[in-house]
Amino acid sequence: MAKTSLMHDVAAVARGKTLSCSRFLWSCLWDGVDRVKSYWLALPADQTPSLQKITRSWFASLATDPMELIMHVGRQPFPELKLAVLQVLNVLGEQQWGQEYIKGCAGLIEFLLDRSTEATKLCKDAKYEVLRTIVSSPTSESVFGIETILRFKNYIREGPVYVHVETEVAIEGSS
């Protein structure tokens, strides 16, 4: 699909327009997300400060508020879109500037820690990978703080499909 069509569709979604699922998936998920992700795939250790500055400016130019755009797409009821958003967040989690965007997005940390928002195992696994990526980054503690990193590590320790169960014991003869 043409680059102008992708930009048009992403801008339409940012304005709140609902596109047909197949059209949006083709223009954003398959074309756009994979292209944007490929720009950021260089390992953080291999990136120079100038490359980080360029990728950050590209990300910032996606929309007036790129994280709001990402979260808007992630709130859609389609698992494919949530998976694409989680893949972008995973790439952002590798970069210090991306971690700062994640931390600064209202409600995003709670969203990442809430297993109940995902209906498919693929999305649960992708959310788990986002947190693993963030925790494994050498800059994560300085960006998020130790308390948040400990919450992320607890999530990772429990796994992507953990369900907290409270047990109740009934005692016979008690009133």
Side-chain angles (χ1 to χ4, degrees), residues 74 79 82-83 86 111 114-120 123-124 127:
K82 286 187 177 191
L83 187 59
L86 291 166
F111 168 77
D114 185 1
R115 290 177 181 87
S116 69
T117 59
E118 306 311 325
T120 68
C123 288
K124 288 178 189 240
K127 193 179 273 191

Side-chain angles (χ1 to χ4, degrees), residues 29-72:
L29 180 63
W30 299 120
D31 189 36
V33 171
D34 285 340
R35 284 188 189 192
V36 170
K37 195 170 96 171
S38 70
Y39 291 127
W40 295 329
L41 279 180
L43 295 172
D46 296 337
Q47 294 183 359
T48 63
S50 61
L51 180 57
Q52 289 180 0
K53 186 176 180 179
I54 291 168
T55 56
R56 183 178 188 154
S57 69
W58 284 346
F59 182 76
S61 67
L62 287 175
T64 304
D65 184 354
M67 291 305 289
E68 180 57 35
L69 172 64
I70 287 172
M71 290 308 294
H72 178 74

Side-chain angles (χ1 to χ4, degrees), residues 19-161:
L19 301 176
S20 72
C21 180
S22 61
R23 177 178 171 191
F24 187 80
L25 287 175
W26 278 108
S27 67
C28 182
L29 180 63
W30 299 120
D31 189 36
V33 171
D34 285 340
R35 284 188 189 192
V36 170
K37 195 170 96 171
S38 70
Y39 291 127
W40 295 329
L41 279 180
L43 295 172
D46 296 337
Q47 294 183 359
T48 63
S50 61
L51 180 57
Q52 289 180 0
K53 186 176 180 179
I54 291 168
T55 56
R56 183 178 188 154
S57 69
W58 284 346
F59 182 76
S61 67
L62 287 175
T64 304
D65 184 354
M67 291 305 289
E68 180 57 35
L69 172 64
I70 287 172
M71 290 308 294
H72 178 74
V73 173
R75 287 185 209 110
Q76 302 298 316
F78 306 108
E80 295 86 357
L81 296 179
K82 286 187 177 191
L83 187 59
V85 164
L86 291 166
Q87 290 172 341
V88 170
L89 291 174
N90 192 39
V91 174
L92 288 175
E94 296 173 347
Q95 312 293 329
Q96 182 174 356
W97 63 264
Q99 294 169 6
E100 292 165 358
Y101 269 104
I102 291 170
K103 180 184 177 189
C105 183
L108 183 54
I109 291 174
E110 291 75 18
F111 168 77
L112 290 172
L113 291 170
D114 185 1
R115 290 177 181 87
S116 69
T117 59
E118 306 311 325
T120 68
K121 182 160 181 353
L122 279 175
C123 288
K124 288 178 189 240
D125 289 342
K127 193 179 273 191
Y128 177 82
E129 286 304 318
V130 170
L131 295 174
R132 278 180 35 132
T133 298
I134 291 170
V135 167
S136 67
S137 168
T139 60
S140 63
E141 281 189 21
S142 65
V143 172
F144 291 98
I146 191 68
E147 183 179 317
T148 302
I149 294 300
L150 288 175
R151 290 171 62 201
F152 290 171
K153 286 181 178 180
N154 186 52
Y155 183 103
I156 292 166
R157 184 179 45 78
E158 293 171 343
V161 293

Side-chain angles (χ1 to χ4, degrees), residues 155-174:
Y155 183 103
I156 292 166
R157 184 179 45 78
E158 293 171 343
V161 293
Y162 174 81
V163 177
H164 178 71
V165 179
E166 290 188 33
T167 57
E168 292 184 27
V169 179
I171 301 175
E172 194 175 317
S174 63

